[in-house]
């Protein structure tokens, strides 16, 4: 199932990235938030846990900090292994002053700091966190986004659901439910890969075997296998699938294109 495409096809699940990504190497993709109305069908993007959490939130209408905290704790047992739950105290005027309470962190992103303004990567927060917390705080409406970025030397792609308290006036707390789609180490320099190695990675990303790559490039299968070993070494990849993922994520993090809900 595909989310959306312009010149790139991007799958709804990245768990089988090497088999189903169809990215022509060199085309930059980006997953920064765009307004909700730009996505025609919300249901094809958000994970099932989002539907469950949203229905539960609409039914319970947690109207204070303690109610939303109880809601979050009740939700914990339904989470998958790639989901995080974080409660933000948004009673302060400026987003950098917002307090953080981690409910569940299955994917460790280093949230040991209690205040958003203490985090080193303020550029990422200014782009992907602050504006949307402010929007949800004052609108008191839920928001779903698909986010991409670099955090703590990792390239990440994740889905996010923001749920505010249903109180009068501005929201006091906002619950952030995130589901990780992709988490890869950033690579400082891919120029060490030769053009031939890039060609091999592109073909592997299309699902070609080593033998098929060899036929396509006029090489012997043994040469392709040796090149794949060299690629893994250069990228620090555990296997070929990991190498393809790192390579594609690097080429997909340059110029904004964007999807959101």
């Amino acid at each position: 199932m595909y989310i959306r495409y312009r010149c790139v096809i991007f799958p709804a699940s990245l768990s089988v990235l090497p088999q189903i990504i169809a990215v022509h190497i060199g085309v930059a993709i980006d997953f920064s938030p765009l307004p909700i109305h730009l996505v025609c069908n919300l249901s094809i993007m958000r994970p099932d846990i989002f539907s469950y959490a949203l229905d539960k939130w609409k039914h319970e209408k947690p109207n204070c900090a303690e109610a939303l905290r109880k809601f979050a704790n009740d939700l914990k047992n339904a989470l998958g292994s790639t989901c995080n739950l974080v409660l933000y105290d948004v009673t302060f005027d400026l987003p950098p002053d917002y307090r953080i309470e981690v409910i569940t962190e299955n994917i460790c992103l280093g949230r040991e700091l209690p205040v958003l303004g203490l985090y080193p990567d303020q550029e990422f927060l200014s782009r992907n966190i602050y504006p949307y917390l402010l929007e949800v705080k004052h609108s008191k409406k839920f928001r779903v986004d698909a986010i991409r970025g670099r955090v703590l030397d990792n390239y990440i792609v994740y889905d996010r659901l923001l749920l505010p308290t249903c109180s009068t006036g501005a929201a006091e707390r906002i619950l952030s439910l995130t589901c990780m789609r992709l988490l890869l180490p950033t690579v400082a320099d891919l120029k060490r890969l030769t053009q031939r190695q890039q060609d091999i990675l592109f073909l592997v990303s299309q699902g070609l075997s080593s033998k098929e790559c060899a036929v396509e490039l006029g090489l012997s299968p043994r040469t392709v296998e040796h090149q794949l070993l060299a690629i893994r070494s250069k990228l620090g990849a555990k296997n070929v699938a990991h190498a393809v993922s790192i390579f594609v994520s690097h080429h997909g993090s340059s110029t904004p294109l964007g999807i959101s809900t």
Side-chain angles (χ1 to χ4, degrees), residues 29-154:
I29 56 177
D30 186 290
F31 300 92
S32 306
L34 288 181
I36 190 168
H37 64 268
L38 293 183
V39 175
C40 298
N41 188 350
L42 176 61
S43 65
I44 66 173
M45 286 194 57
R46 66 187 186 205
D48 290 340
I49 184 61
F50 281 21
S51 298
Y52 173 75
L54 188 54
D55 290 342
K56 182 177 173 64
W57 176 78
K58 288 179 178 178
H59 175 71
E60 296 186 10
K61 296 181 172 62
N63 60 3
C64 64
E66 192 55 40
L68 191 59
R69 184 178 293 106
K70 181 181 183 301
F71 171 89
N73 283 311
D74 291 344
L75 195 62
K76 285 164 62 174
N77 292 334
L79 298 182
S81 60
T82 62
C83 295
N84 288 346
L85 268 179
V86 176
L87 193 62
Y88 293 101
D89 178 351
V90 296
T91 56
F92 302 88
D93 291 335
L94 300 176
D97 295 326
Y98 291 171
R99 273 34 176 187
I100 305 165
E101 179 183 344
V102 176
I103 306 297
T104 297
E105 189 169 56
N106 290 313
I107 303 296
C108 183
L109 294 176
R111 290 192 180 91
E112 66 277 1
L113 298 174
V115 181
L116 282 175
L118 296 178
Y119 280 79
D121 196 346
Q122 289 296 306
E123 181 180 353
F124 175 83
L125 295 182
S126 297
R127 180 180 181 184
N128 296 295
I129 306 296
Y130 293 160
Y132 306 102
L133 289 178
L134 275 173
E135 177 189 322
V136 172
K137 172 183 177 178
H138 293 292
S139 71
K140 294 185 294 183
K141 296 179 181 179
F142 76 90
R143 183 180 175 95
V144 184
D145 293 297
I147 306 294
R148 77 96 177 124
R150 294 176 184 269
V151 178
L152 299 177
D153 296 323
N154 289 293

Side-chain angles (χ1 to χ4, degrees), residues 107-109 151 154-157 180-185 242:
I107 303 296
C108 183
L109 294 176
V151 178
N154 289 293
Y155 177 75
I156 61 174
V157 177
M180 191 66 64
R181 293 295 190 185
L182 185 65
L183 177 61
L184 294 170
H242 192 201

Side-chain angles (χ1 to χ4, degrees), residues 1-5 8-17 19-23 29 31 39 41-48 50 82 145-147 157-160 179-182 259 261:
M1 181 182 295
Y2 293 93
I3 294 173
R4 167 189 179 183
Y5 65 89
V8 171
I9 299 175
F10 204 86
S13 172
L14 295 172
S15 59
V16 286
L17 180 70
Q19 287 76 23
I20 58 179
I21 270 191
V23 178
I29 56 177
F31 300 92
V39 175
N41 188 350
L42 176 61
S43 65
I44 66 173
M45 286 194 57
R46 66 187 186 205
D48 290 340
F50 281 21
T82 62
D145 293 297
I147 306 294
V157 177
Y158 64 92
D159 299 325
R160 180 185 66 199
C179 294
M180 191 66 64
R181 293 295 190 185
L182 185 65
I259 58 175
T261 59

